[in-house]
């Protein structure tokens, strides 16, 4: 039903400078996988095959990562290192990768619009790979299930956030239609805590109808002179059924230094190879 996922990855990642001066933020590793691979793996596990990555200058490492490395594979094969060979192969297995450039970083909405020709006339998913979600069922899978079940035109991943944090997010106004499912009646980008219609924040996973492209084309630059995705989704309301799904999972904002470190610690502690060693280190050095 949803076959394509768009990964906007053309931003400058300024919050990680100088690390992101010459390498993409999306390639920062969470334990041993780049952030964007976590997103791609989530899409694959949700039944999606076509990965459309919106890139820009200095993002070549992303294309190289999702390409076959003949020399590396030949070397690992020669050494008989089958375990690493399969780790390397899994990166590109079961998916096709497509790229489009966003020549100017004119905002998330503009990045999604750049994928219009590659998406065509079908509903699609958008994944912001710096929102890392550790979930028992991949969040996109949860959203695709809700999309089918509730006859929605668009699905937004939402999460309750503390009232004092609402001004960092797009916040929905909605009517609860089932457990964890809200029919979105309006949304506000980064409201002041007193002005927020709820404490339900939009997180970086979306299922969108192809009509969003027409809306994006007509969307004027909003906050920060950028074409905002939330502004375009807002104008879908009324024409399409837009629902918000409170997903089951723990989300980390790996687009900030603190969130990125939290995600790394949480994922490392769960990692079968290094979890025990890290726990022992934290205890020994009284870091917990
Ligand atoms: P962010 O604002 O979190 O990413 O955008 P950024 O701009 O790279 O980071 P900072 O704020 O400078 O630290 C969310 C996602 O949207 C993409 C980014 O690459 C990121 O994955 N994006 C944003 C684009 O692809 N194009 C844009 O014009 C803006």
């Amino acid at each position: 039903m949803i076959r394509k996922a768009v990964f906007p990855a053309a931003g400058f990642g300024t919050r990680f400078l100088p690390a992101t001066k010459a390498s993409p933020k999306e390639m920062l590793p969470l334990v041993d996988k780049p952030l964007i691979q976590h997103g791609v793996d989530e899409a694959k596990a949700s039944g999606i095959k076509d990965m459309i990555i919106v890139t820009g200058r200095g993002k070549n490492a992303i294309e190289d990562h999702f390409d076959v490395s003949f020399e590396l594979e030949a070397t690992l094969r020669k050494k008989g290192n089958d375990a690493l060979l399969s780790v390397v192969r899994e990166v590109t297995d079961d998916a096709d990768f497509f790229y489009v450039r966003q020549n100017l970083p004119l905002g998330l909405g503009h990045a999604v619009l750049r994928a219009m020709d590659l998406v065509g006339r079908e509903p699609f998913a958008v994944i912001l790979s710096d929102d890392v979600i550790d979930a028992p069922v991949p969040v996109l899978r949860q959203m695709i299930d809700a999309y089918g079940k509730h006859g929605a035109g668009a699905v937004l991943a939402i999460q309750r956030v503390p009232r004092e944090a609402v001004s960092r997010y797009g916040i929905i106004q909605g009517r609860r239609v089932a457990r964890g499912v809200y029919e979105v009646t309006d949304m506000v980008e980064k409201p002041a805590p007193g002005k927020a219609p709820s404490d339900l924040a939009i997180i970086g996973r979306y299922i969108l109808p192809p009509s969003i492209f027409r809306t994006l084309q007509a969307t004027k630059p909003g906050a920060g002179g950028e074409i905002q995705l939330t502004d375009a989704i807002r104008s879908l309301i009324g024409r399409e059924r837009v629902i918000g799904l409170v997903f089951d999972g723990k989300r980390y904002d790996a687009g900030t230094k603190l969130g990125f470190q939290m995600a790394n610690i949480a994922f490392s502690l769960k990692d079968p190879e290094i979890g025990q060693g890290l726990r022992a280190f934290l205890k020994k050095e009284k870091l917990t």
Side-chain angles (χ1 to χ4, degrees), residues 5-264:
V6 174
F7 297 82
F12 287 134
T14 52
R15 283 170 287 179
F16 283 92
L17 281 170
T20 47
K21 185 166 173 252
S23 14
K25 170 175 80 173
E26 295 76 13
M27 290 302 292
L28 292 174
L30 196 51
V31 189
D32 51 8
K33 268 190 215 171
L35 285 176
I36 192 161
Q37 194 186 331
H38 283 272
V40 165
D41 287 352
E42 178 184 327
K44 280 190 207 175
S46 307
I48 289 175
K49 187 144 184 295
D50 287 3
M51 312 296 169
I52 300 168
I53 305 183
V54 184
T55 68
R57 275 181 71 79
K59 302 280 183 168
N60 296 349
I62 299 177
E63 290 188 43
D64 289 342
H65 184 71
F66 293 111
D67 195 4
V68 173
S69 172
F70 291 107
E71 304 86 339
L72 178 60
E73 290 195 15
T75 307
L76 292 172
R77 204 174 302 113
K78 212 161 121 198
K79 287 188 173 162
N81 197 336
D82 291 345
L84 277 186
L85 191 58
S86 67
V87 165
V88 166
R89 283 206 175 135
E90 269 169 29
V91 177
T92 49
D93 274 354
D94 305 321
D96 291 318
F97 295 87
F98 304 87
Y99 299 90
V100 61
R101 287 257 190 171
Q102 184 194 20
N103 299 330
L104 291 167
L106 294 179
L108 181 58
H110 182 255
V112 171
L113 182 56
R114 295 292 297 143
M116 177 169 76
D117 288 345
L118 289 169
V119 169
R121 297 156 76 88
E122 56 184 283
F124 63 102
V126 174
I127 296 189
L128 304 188
S129 52
D130 45 14
D131 267 332
V132 171
I133 307 173
D134 186 14
V137 174
V139 173
L140 206 53
R141 182 74 256 163
Q142 298 177 37
M143 293 170 71
I144 292 170
D145 291 345
Y147 176 79
K149 192 167 163 202
H150 296 278
V155 184
L156 316 177
I158 54 173
Q159 180 186 46
R160 279 191 197 285
V161 294
R163 277 275 168 185
E164 62 277 12
V166 290
S167 57
R168 298 209 306 265
Y169 297 90
I171 301 292
I172 69 147
Q173 174 181 303
R175 221 166 18 87
R176 184 180 175 279
V177 289
R179 193 162 165 261
V181 181
Y182 291 79
E183 170 127 24
V184 179
T185 51
D186 201 359
M187 43 207 278
V188 197
E189 189 60 34
K190 302 188 172 62
K195 295 239 165 85
S198 74
D199 59 353
L200 293 167
I202 303 166
I203 304 304
R205 303 285 185 280
Y206 310 79
I207 294 174
L208 298 172
S211 62
I212 193 78
F213 293 121
R214 246 183 297 126
T215 313
L216 279 168
Q217 282 172 323
T219 302
K220 300 264 175 306
E226 298 189 336
I227 296 177
Q228 301 288 344
L229 184 60
T230 41
D231 288 344
I233 298 172
R234 188 163 183 255
S235 46
L236 280 183
I237 299 169
R239 281 189 284 139
E240 303 267 3
R241 184 169 202 218
V242 179
I243 64 164
L245 176 72
V246 182
F247 57 85
D248 182 14
K250 168 106 183 99
R251 171 248 177 191
Y252 300 89
D253 181 2
T256 67
K257 281 187 255 192
L258 180 60
F260 178 74
Q261 296 307 336
M262 287 172 171
N264 251 307

